[in-house]
């Protein structure tokens, strides 16, 4: 009934092992309440600082996934790298996102849940958070009769991609959309571009749960380059918009655990510290050595690269030191995040440093 994505057995074994390596024993059983904070490996990691215990999620099962109840009929699935969310209803299942690394384990997770709660297992509706393949690249698993819902901007992006694993949406909206299925509901909203031009907010009002992908990273610093976001100022703004929703539980689309409100506040503090440090570094790092070294060669790009790298490194150092042991991977991606913020400050905010208006 559901076509298999092309996925070699060796890849599946790798994903099982990789998920297990990231996760630790859960404090709640399958289909129970949210897992309690787990304990990270205290032996340390090669090259990088250990992952704080509070940043780690529940252990995937032998097939490489964990499924748990958020509240009522709302559930989540993770492989410790990506996350999905689904509602079981009297008419079928409403799924939000279909990450390819979870893939067919989404079907297994849904069967686990619906077998236990006696509701239909068929996925009738699939919500796309946005167009990116790493979050909806397994959408092709759910057949041609599923109702696929997205923001209007998602459709042309998927049409351009022409990816059979990401079928075009069948229903689109511009600002708001209320999805009601079998006694359950989700409120979909678009608040402008952020990580991508089409990224939406998915709110489950009956369960005080918000899903917003690639914006907040509970327990971790944002992925490299501020989540490779296409609009950094609006990506930063989206964090505050998210905090304006009355949620208690947050589904961020990545990594192994759910979020609470303290996680959102923590990331906003991290970004505030990073911006202050980056602005200071733009003013304090002397560009003269880079002009002197590469100017005689006429190598303009070398001047820019070495100066901007020095600014990013200077900006990142105190922030990485402050958050190491607090947010996972603060020592891994803070320099990359400072570089992305630096470029945004230069081109979006006009903070040009030595490349400003010539006197």
């Amino acid at each position: 009934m559901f076509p298999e994505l092309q996925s070699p057995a060796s890849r599946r074994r790798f994903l099982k092992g990789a998920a297990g390596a990231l996760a630790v024993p859960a404090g709640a059983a399958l289909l129970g309440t949210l897992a309690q904070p787990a304990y990270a490996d205290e032996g340390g990691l090669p090259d990088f600082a250990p992952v704080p215990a509070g940043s780690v999620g529940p252990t995937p099962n032998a097939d490489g996934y964990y499924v748990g109840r958020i509240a009522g009929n709302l559930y989540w699935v993770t492989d410790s790298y990506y996350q999905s969310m689904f509602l079981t209803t009297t008419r079928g299942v409403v799924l939000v996102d279909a990450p390819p690394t979870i893939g067919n384990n989404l079907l297994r997770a849904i069967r686990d849940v619906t077998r236990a709660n006696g509701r239909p297992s068929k996925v009738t509706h699939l919500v796309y958070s946005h167009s990116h393949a790493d979050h909806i690249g397994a959408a092709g698993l759910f057949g041609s009769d599923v109702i696929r819902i997205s923001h209007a901007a998602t459709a042309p992006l998927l049409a351009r991609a022409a990816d059979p694993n990401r079928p075009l949406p069948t229903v689109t909206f511009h600002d708001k959309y209320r999805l009601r299925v079998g006694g359950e509901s989700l409120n979909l909203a678009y608040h402008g571009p952020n990580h991508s031009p089409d990224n939406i907010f998915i709110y489950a009002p009956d369960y005080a749960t918000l899903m917003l992908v690639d914006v907040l990273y509970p327990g971790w610093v944002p992925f490299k380059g501020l989540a490779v976001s296409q609009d950094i100022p609006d990506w930063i703004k989206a964090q505050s918009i998210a905090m304006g929703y009355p949620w208690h539980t947050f589904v961020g689309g990545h990594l192994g655990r759910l979020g609470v409100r303290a996680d959102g506040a923590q990331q906003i503090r991290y970004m505030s510290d990073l911006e202050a440090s980056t602005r200071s570094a733009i003013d304090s790092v002397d560009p003269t050595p880079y002009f002197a070294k590469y100017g005689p060669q006429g190598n303009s790009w070398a001047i820019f690269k070495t100066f901007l790298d020095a600014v990013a490194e200077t900006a990142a150092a105190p922030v990485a030191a402050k958050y190491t042991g607090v947010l996972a991977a603060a020592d891994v991606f803070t320099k990359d995040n400072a570089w992305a913020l630096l470029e945004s400050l230069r081109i979006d905010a006009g903070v040009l440093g030595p490349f400003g208006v010539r006197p």
Side-chain angles (χ1 to χ4, degrees), residues 1-2 74 84-98 106-107 110 120-129 136 138-150 167-172 177-186 188 202 211:
M1 181 175 181
F2 299 107
L74 183 65
S84 180
M85 180 175 81
F86 65 92
L87 269 170
T88 62
T89 83
T90 58
R91 289 178 48 201
V93 174
V94 177
L95 176 65
V96 184
D97 278 357
L106 289 169
L107 299 172
I110 289 167
S121 63
K122 179 177 173 57
V123 175
T124 58
H125 296 74
L126 174 56
V127 176
Y128 291 166
S129 66
I136 63 167
L141 289 174
F142 298 95
S144 59
D145 59 342
V146 66
I147 298 171
R148 297 178 295 274
I149 304 165
S150 77
L168 294 178
T170 52
V171 175
T172 63
Y177 186 87
R178 181 79 179 273
L179 175 60
R180 296 184 179 92
V181 181
E184 302 289 343
S185 66
L186 290 175
L188 314 182
I202 302 109
M211 182 169 178

Side-chain angles (χ1 to χ4, degrees), residues 21 28 52 85 106 112 129 201-203 284-285 290 329:
M85 180 175 81
L106 289 169
D112 291 344
S129 66
F201 292 61
I202 302 109
Y203 183 61
S284 66
V285 174
Y290 311 104

Side-chain angles (χ1 to χ4, degrees), residues 6-31:
Q6 295 301 315
S7 179
S10 60
R11 178 177 176 274
R12 185 175 174 188
R13 287 195 297 272
F14 166 77
L15 290 172
K16 285 185 186 179
L22 264 188
V24 291
L30 176 69
L31 309 185

Side-chain angles (χ1 to χ4, degrees), residues 288-335:
T288 304
Y290 311 104
F291 279 97
K293 184 173 183 178
Y294 298 108
Q297 299 177 355
N299 195 334
S300 299
W301 275 179
I303 296 170
F304 269 82
K305 172 181 168 50
T306 52
F307 171 72
L308 295 175
D309 283 351
V311 172
E313 188 167 354
T314 301
V319 180
K322 178 177 179 178
Y323 287 93
T324 294
V326 177
L327 291 175
D331 59 328
V332 179
F333 279 147
T334 295
K335 181 179 176 182

Side-chain angles (χ1 to χ4, degrees), residues 58-85:
T59 303
N61 62 18
D63 284 321
Y65 69 94
Y66 172 85
V67 58
R69 175 184 279 124
I70 295 175
N73 295 310
L74 183 65
Y75 300 83
W76 71 297
V77 187
T78 183
D79 61 354
S80 297
Y81 297 95
Y82 285 84
Q83 299 172 359
S84 180
M85 180 175 81

